[in-house]
Amino acid sequence: MREKEFLPAVKERLGIDRLNEMQEKMMASATEASDIILLSPTGSGKTLAFTLPVMKMMKPSTGRVQCVVIAPSRELVVQIAGVLREVGHLFRVIALYGGHSVEDEVNSLKVVPDIIVATPGRLLDHAVRRNVDLLPVRILVLDEFDKSLELGFEEEMSKLLNRMKNVSRTILTSATKADVLPDFLRLDHPLTLDYLDNNVDLRERMNVRKVDSDGKDKLDSLLTLLHNINKGERLEKSIIFVNHRESAERVADFLKKNKVAAVLYHGALDQRERETAVALFNNGTAPVLVATDLAARGLDIEKVASVIHYHQPLTPEAYTHRNGRTARVEEEGDVYVLVGPDEELREYVEVDGVFELDKDLKTDLGSHFMSLYVAAGKKEKVSKGDILGFLIKEGGLTAEDIGKINVFDHYALVAVREDKVAALLNKITGKKLKGEKRRITPLK
């Protein structure tokens, strides 16, 4: 595929005016090397970096799968598929992952896609059941390969690669250097592009400060910190990292009881709960995300102003990945490390100073947006444009009243200014969206 066929979509659909050095080099490398190893830190624009050479390698649709992208988490699969659909809008892209409806996936595979993005286990399951033929695949991307090995997917990936006998171009991305790569990869004199030193630049764009807590559980100090760092009209996006699911639930419950627009994210939630949490965080309904380290990598999260370590991370790698949620792609960000009276800073936590809490400062930590649930999605042929047009035409809203719209397989979420919701629901009662009456209700 020629650059003039897909590069305009990077600007028009993704809103990216200029590629960074890594993305430029990756695109150029598509014609220079058969296999590429990309070493890159979190938040550096890696997904677009490997999407660009993939697009250059793609041929017009052949009725066979040309490219497979394997990623370790369902969230990362969804994110990658979204970027590929925007940039490679001439191709059919489908996502396969655990927690997703198998029936929907089987139906999607009846029309053979050009590109599959999948978690290893789910893709292998479809291959074993002969729902998909992987033999014609020419291009293989293994994203966050280090994370896949860490999570124990080596056996599944080995079996998958044995089914892809015709792969001639492999791109492997990783956030860490590996001394030895598994034999099943069969890489041919790969070109290694190492951008891990960009972590140094990332650190320079961060302001890391220690926050002393006089309470052992630190909840009151956390709430005071949120009051201190949110002095504007709108609550800034913050991610609060904890080390355990139980702690995440306790912290989130405490913040909600204190009227903080917070949402919970951890691995015990089901797929829809996790999708919804990320959507509410991104669309401004709940600008405070309380999460385990599951949220440190792979999520499509935008413009995070601050990362708060409620618990200090257990490893240097976890610390790096957590911090990488802010100060992404040349932006600046703040990092706060809450330290209890009996705690010491871990050796890998380097701070720029101490943040003094003003315990008397109180600010509004609520949200001015509410999310509405729409009981129809992609499978019902409902698009963002359909929802936007319906809310403006039938609901009397302006574009400024409506925030981000997320459309999933069988439902959608749309952020609307809270003071407009009651009148909106009254106006759209009985009205048809895309030819049918759809249930539209506030998301509790």
Side-chain angles (χ1 to χ4, degrees), residues 107-148:
N107 289 334
S108 296
L109 288 166
K110 287 178 181 176
V111 179
V112 179
D114 302 290
I115 302 172
I116 291 176
V117 189
T119 50
R122 180 55 66 93
L123 181 58
L124 182 61
D125 184 58
H126 281 296
V128 168
R129 295 172 186 269
R130 298 187 178 181
N131 296 329
V132 60
D133 179 12
L134 299 178
L135 191 59
V137 174
R138 298 184 298 106
I139 307 161
L140 173 65
V141 179
L142 300 172
D143 191 31
E144 295 204 356
F145 185 70
D146 55 332
K147 186 69 173 178
S148 292

Side-chain angles (χ1 to χ4, degrees), residues 377-400:
K378 295 174 186 174
K379 300 299 182 182
E380 289 74 36
K381 309 297 183 186
V382 171
S383 68
K384 292 181 184 179
D386 295 328
I387 295 171
L388 180 64
F390 175 77
L391 295 179
I392 290 173
K393 182 181 177 183
E394 303 293 353
L397 297 183
T398 66
E400 289 71 31

Side-chain angles (χ1 to χ4, degrees), residues 14 19 40 43 72 82 107 114 139 175 178 190 262 268 308 318 341 366 391 405 433 439:
L14 298 181
L19 301 179
S40 170
N107 289 334
D114 302 290
I139 307 161
I308 300 171
L391 295 179
I405 300 172
L433 167 61
R439 181 164 60 91

Side-chain angles (χ1 to χ4, degrees), residues 16 25 42 85 108 161 175 193 195 213 255 268 275 282 289 297 335-336 376 385 411 427:
I16 296 173
K25 183 61 178 173
T42 299
R85 287 187 184 110
S108 296
L161 266 65
L193 300 178
Y195 288 89
S213 171
L255 293 178
E275 282 178 350
N282 272 335
L289 182 72
R297 295 173 73 173
V335 175
Y336 302 93
Y411 72 103
K427 287 180 180 178

Side-chain angles (χ1 to χ4, degrees), residues 199-212:
N199 273 333
V200 176
D201 297 334
L202 182 65
R203 178 66 182 89
E204 290 175 353
R205 300 198 309 274
M206 285 179 187
N207 189 7
V208 183
R209 284 174 285 182
K210 176 187 175 188
V211 182
D212 290 312

